[in-house]
Amino acid sequence: MSNIKIGWIGLGNMGIPMAEQLIKAEYSVTVYNRSQGKENKLSEMGARVADSPQVLASESDVIIIMVADDKAIEAIFEAENGLLKAELKGKTIINMSTVSPAIAKKMAANCTEQNARYLDAPVSGSVKQAETGQLVIMVGGAQSAFEEVKPILDQLGKLSKWVGETGAGNQAKLAINSLLALYTQGLAETILFANEKGIKSADLLELIGNAAIGNVFTKIKGEAILNDQYKAAFALKHIVKDLRLAKDEGISTPLAKTALKTFEDAESAYGEEDLIAIFKALK
């Protein structure tokens, strides 16, 4: 059992199972979520509950954040009872949210002013991988800080890799999620084209699954289409956010532009559903 005290901020679809992994690994964990009630399960497992980021920081050596977007990050750090109101000297803050490299650099600078360390460490993977500790974690910031917290990250993922200085983790994640959007739209269009030619979805997916182009993603999302199951593991609205962030970072290639427009056009109707709901939007 480690003596490191961990504070966890953000108890959404990913945050809860990720925090569970750390509790199971016998870390001392304190949790905070902006909306109350989501902490109940973790509390039953032994986690303490803080009523603000400021309080959580005072009880933690390492603070991990998993929230939706830049706006949420700003609130967590800059609110009246936010992290920046706490004594952060000597602490390490790990932001595992998929946010802009710009917000990473801004918050890293704020942490440096308080003699704290900041890592941007977004993840690739969805709820299932969070539940089983099989995420892929890409980390930006000081490599020495990464090496110190790597044992914690290794409880959450099958691969934890330092990729560069502050913001590099977020940039790597935006690159990966751009590919995710292309995979998703490509799979949807492929099935729709086959259907138009009289080929059954199940038959096509069996062929794909046994071909070189088959992978875990095409299997999972193909099954979602077959079962007409679009409950969000990764909501379509979030891929829109990530594609916009990638655009802001300068991605301007033909497929990236097309994917952004396709998913933006679908967001109003299917934003709360899984990103594979793009299949319905393209029908």
Side-chain angles (χ1 to χ4, degrees):
M1 179 176 178
S2 173
N3 292 323
I4 295 174
K5 297 178 180 179
I6 297 175
W8 190 282
I9 299 175
L11 300 176
N13 289 341
M14 296 288 286
I16 290 176
M18 292 172 73
E20 285 179 4
Q21 295 298 317
L22 298 178
I23 296 171
K24 291 174 182 176
E26 299 187 342
Y27 282 99
S28 173
V29 178
T30 300
V31 300
Y32 167 78
N33 195 65
R34 288 176 294 174
S35 57
Q36 296 182 346
K38 291 187 175 181
E39 70 278 1
N40 292 342
K41 181 180 180 182
L42 297 173
S43 179
E44 291 172 0
M45 294 177 66
R48 293 184 297 279
V49 179
D51 61 10
S52 72
Q54 182 180 10
V55 171
L56 178 141
S58 70
E59 300 177 358
S60 307
D61 304 309
V62 174
I63 300 156
I64 303 177
I65 306 169
M66 188 61 160
V67 294
D69 52 29
D70 286 24
K71 184 177 180 181
I73 292 298
E74 289 178 334
I76 287 164
F77 276 88
E78 299 174 353
E80 184 177 350
N81 57 359
L83 289 177
L84 295 178
K85 300 298 183 182
E87 173 55 65
L88 296 179
K89 183 177 180 180
K91 300 181 188 293
T92 300
I93 297 175
I94 308 172
N95 187 357
M96 305 191 78
S97 318
T98 300
V99 292
S100 70
I103 201 75
K105 292 173 183 177
K106 176 182 178 182
M107 296 310 166
N110 288 333
C111 289
T112 298
E113 288 179 1
Q114 294 205 31
N115 294 310
R117 299 177 300 180
Y118 177 101
L119 296 171
D120 51 295
V123 306
S124 180
S126 193
V127 175
K128 181 64 174 178
Q129 289 73 38
E131 292 173 342
T132 54
Q134 294 295 298
L135 297 166
V136 173
I137 304 168
M138 53 219 79
V139 184
Q143 189 170 9
S144 58
F146 163 69
E147 295 295 345
E148 287 187 22
V149 301
K150 190 175 186 297
I152 296 172
L153 298 178
D154 286 345
Q155 295 295 327
L156 303 173
K158 63 181 179 181
L159 174 65
S160 303
K161 186 174 182 63
W162 180 79
V163 294
E165 298 304 318
T166 301
N170 290 134
Q171 288 163 338
K173 178 59 187 295
L174 294 179
I176 288 174
N177 274 17
S178 295
L179 179 59
L180 174 65
L182 302 183
Y183 270 170
T184 306
Q185 183 170 340
L187 179 62
E189 291 185 5
T190 297
I191 295 173
L192 288 169
F193 172 69
N195 291 166
E196 289 173 2
K197 302 305 176 185
I199 299 168
K200 294 178 181 178
S201 298
D203 291 342
L204 180 70
L205 288 165
E206 183 179 2
L207 293 169
I208 291 173
N210 284 279
I213 56 173
N215 55 44
V216 173
F217 181 81
T218 56
K219 181 178 186 296
I220 292 172
K221 297 309 179 185
E223 289 177 352
I225 290 172
L226 290 178
N227 296 321
D228 197 30
Q229 174 54 259
Y230 299 98
K231 181 180 178 182
F234 183 73
L236 188 146
K237 66 181 180 181
H238 293 320
I239 200 69
V240 174
K241 178 218 28 164
D242 295 346
L243 289 169
R244 287 171 178 158
L245 289 175
K247 179 183 177 183
D248 291 343
E249 285 296 300
I251 192 169
S252 60
T253 49
L255 289 178
K257 290 179 179 178
T258 300
L260 175 56
K261 184 178 188 310
T262 301
F263 283 95
E264 280 185 330
D265 289 347
E267 185 178 14
S268 60
Y270 302 104
E272 298 298 329
E273 297 186 52
D274 192 80
L275 80 167
I276 197 58
I278 200 66
F279 176 80
K280 296 193 290 184
L282 292 170
K283 264 188 173 181

